[in-house]
């Protein structure tokens, strides 16, 4: 199967650190922690967003990577963040130029530092507008 990530990014993302119930040998058992792995993706939540949990679910179920929801009022990204995702879904009620408002959220300073250091950042729908208004 070809890589979902261009230019070797897939090699930098570690797999989800939990065994499945099937692999643990216990039918219907919850996942069993195998080892600690830092969160790979930080999924930023803005007021009114409704795709943040969907994005987190897709990251876990499709890509098999750990992620953490990060409220826009936090000043820093979680330790171990390897990629940032700004999902869409009516951020700030989908008003005109939601990115103009969101760029003043404390988390955007951390996202900007992360991007300037070479970290991958993806904006989807309103998330892309936020990145554009933030100069990213």
């Amino acid at each position: 199967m070809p890589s979902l990530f261009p230019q070797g990014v897939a090699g930098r993302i570690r797999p989800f650190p939990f065994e499945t119930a099937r692999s643990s040998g216990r039918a219907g058992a919850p996942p069993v922690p195998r080892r600690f792995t830092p969160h790979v993706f930080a999924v930023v939540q803005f007021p009114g967003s409704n795709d943040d949990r969907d994005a987190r679910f897709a990251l876990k179920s499709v890509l098999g990577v750990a992620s953490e929801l990060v409220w826009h009022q936090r000043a820093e990204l979680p330790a171990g963040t390897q990629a940032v995702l700004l999902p869409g879904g009516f951020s700030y009620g989908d008003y005109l130029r939601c990115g103009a408002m969101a760029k003043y959220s404390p988390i955007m300073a951390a996202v900007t530092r992360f991007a300037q250091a070479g970290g991958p950042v993806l904006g989807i729908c309103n998330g892309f507008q936020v990145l554009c208004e933030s100069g990213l």
Side-chain angles (χ1 to χ4, degrees):
M1 179 173 168
S3 174
L4 296 173
F5 297 101
Q7 304 170 1
V9 174
R12 293 187 289 173
I13 297 178
R14 294 183 291 274
F16 193 64
F18 296 103
E19 298 175 1
T20 64
R22 179 176 295 173
S23 67
S24 68
R26 297 176 292 154
V32 178
R34 201 168 45 196
R35 67 185 189 285
F36 173 78
T37 302
H39 293 291
V40 174
F41 277 85
V43 179
V44 179
Q45 293 180 295
F46 290 102
S49 294
N50 64 7
D51 291 341
D52 41 19
R53 287 179 175 79
D54 293 339
R56 185 171 185 225
F57 175 79
L59 290 170
K60 180 179 175 184
S61 64
V62 176
L63 298 180
V65 295
S67 62
E68 181 175 335
L69 295 174
V70 180
W71 185 240
H72 74 109
Q73 290 295 324
R74 283 180 61 175
E76 294 296 326
L77 294 168
T81 297
Q82 296 179 13
V84 176
L85 176 65
L86 283 77
F90 307 104
S91 302
Y92 290 97
D94 206 23
Y95 298 118
L96 184 62
R97 295 189 64 200
C98 64
M101 294 182 283
K103 74 178 181 180
Y104 295 108
S105 292
I107 196 63
M108 288 311 297
V111 171
T112 300
R113 285 192 303 274
F114 181 80
Q116 289 173 342
V121 179
L122 173 65
I124 301 170
C125 193
N126 288 126
F128 183 74
Q129 293 176 14
V130 172
L131 293 177
C132 289
E133 293 279 358
S134 299
L136 296 173

